[in-house]
Amino acid sequence: MMVNNSHKNGARETNKTKNRQAIIDAGIRVFISKGVSETTVRDIIRSTGLASGTFYNYFNSKEEVLVAIFNDFAKEIGKNVRDENIQPNNFEEFLRIKLTRFFKFVSSKPEIFMIMSNNHNLVNNFSINTPQIILEIDYLKEEIKEGIRKGIFPNFDVDLFGTVIRPVTDALAQEMISQKKINIKKYTDKCIDFLTKGT
């Protein structure tokens, strides 16, 4: 008699995904409440309710958890910001579409920027540019290059823009979520003015 292992494998994969997400969710909670430097692996494990061995099946350190948090967040932002169907008429319109979506998403999930705000120096010094973040910026740069090729956008140094946009949007997102009333349009306008006029 043949044994069907596909159901077992499917259940195992689902469990792996759940465990990984439980560790990431716990990492977010603990990093916000204790700060990155004060957090230990034991704190994260305690917050998951999982066995310590389970943690080490997925991550070797709290730093790896932090990288995974930022990576997953960047992937979600990318899904929300990218849209193959948009046809902007100019660069400012392109930025407005992208930045409005970015700030909307950030306002719906402020916890990542709370980690960054609470641990600004430590986080910046160590792993703000995770592989997924770099990939998302590369996607953005390719869209801009395509706009330049089509003659819709002005010709400028796209690589320099890619270097500048992250710290600018991060700083404004952190400022935005610290406000009692979140104003997406205000921060979109602020970001566009800075990126296009330097003001």
Side-chain angles (χ1 to χ4, degrees):
M1 190 175 86
M2 290 184 71
V3 178
N4 185 350
N5 284 325
S6 64
H7 180 70
K8 279 185 185 175
N9 289 341
R12 193 178 298 127
E13 284 307 309
T14 302
N15 203 37
K16 278 170 76 173
T17 303
K18 277 185 183 170
N19 286 346
R20 182 185 180 278
Q21 194 56 51
I23 294 166
I24 285 173
D25 291 344
I28 291 168
R29 286 193 301 274
V30 179
F31 288 141
I32 289 171
S33 65
K34 293 191 78 169
V36 174
S37 57
E38 296 299 314
T39 295
T40 65
V41 167
R42 189 176 289 174
D43 292 327
I44 297 172
I45 292 167
R46 230 183 256 129
S47 188
T48 64
L50 298 170
S52 59
T54 305
F55 176 92
Y56 289 106
N57 285 336
Y58 300 88
F59 302 102
N60 293 313
S61 64
K62 69 177 184 182
E63 288 81 9
E64 284 190 10
V65 176
L66 192 60
V67 169
I69 289 167
F70 284 125
N71 249 0
D72 286 3
F73 190 63
K75 202 177 285 182
E76 284 188 75
I77 286 175
K79 280 183 200 164
N80 278 269
V81 169
R82 277 199 304 277
D83 183 350
E84 306 303 321
N85 298 315
I86 65 161
Q87 300 292 329
N89 295 310
N90 55 54
F91 187 55
E92 188 171 318
E93 193 179 309
F94 171 83
L95 283 178
R96 186 165 301 282
I97 293 164
K98 298 289 184 185
L99 291 167
T100 299
R101 289 178 181 177
F102 171 76
F103 287 121
K104 263 187 190 167
F105 182 74
V106 167
S107 68
S108 74
K109 296 192 87 169
E111 56 272 19
I112 306 303
F113 283 88
M114 286 166 70
I115 294 173
M116 289 167 65
S117 298
N118 296 349
N119 304 276
H120 201 264
N121 292 336
L122 191 144
V123 171
N124 277 349
N125 287 341
F126 118 118
S127 116
I128 217 50
N129 283 324
T130 70
Q132 190 65 39
I133 289 171
I134 292 165
L135 187 62
E136 294 303 334
I137 290 172
D138 283 346
Y139 283 141
L140 181 67
K141 281 158 58 176
E142 282 309 310
E143 286 185 76
I144 295 170
K145 285 174 185 172
E146 183 59 24
I148 293 169
R149 277 194 289 272
K150 288 178 178 174
I152 303 167
F153 302 163
N155 196 353
F156 60 89
D157 188 331
V158 178
D159 289 326
L160 180 61
F161 181 84
T163 304
V164 168
I165 192 165
R166 179 153 184 78
V168 171
T169 53
D170 280 356
L172 288 172
Q174 287 175 57
E175 185 184 313
M176 181 184 75
I177 64 160
S178 71
Q179 307 300 309
K180 282 181 184 171
K181 190 178 177 187
I182 287 176
N183 186 333
I184 290 162
K185 184 180 182 306
K186 174 186 168 183
Y187 281 91
T188 299
D189 289 344
K190 211 171 176 179
C191 198
I192 289 169
D193 283 347
F194 186 86
L195 292 169
T196 60
K197 301 169 193 163
T199 58

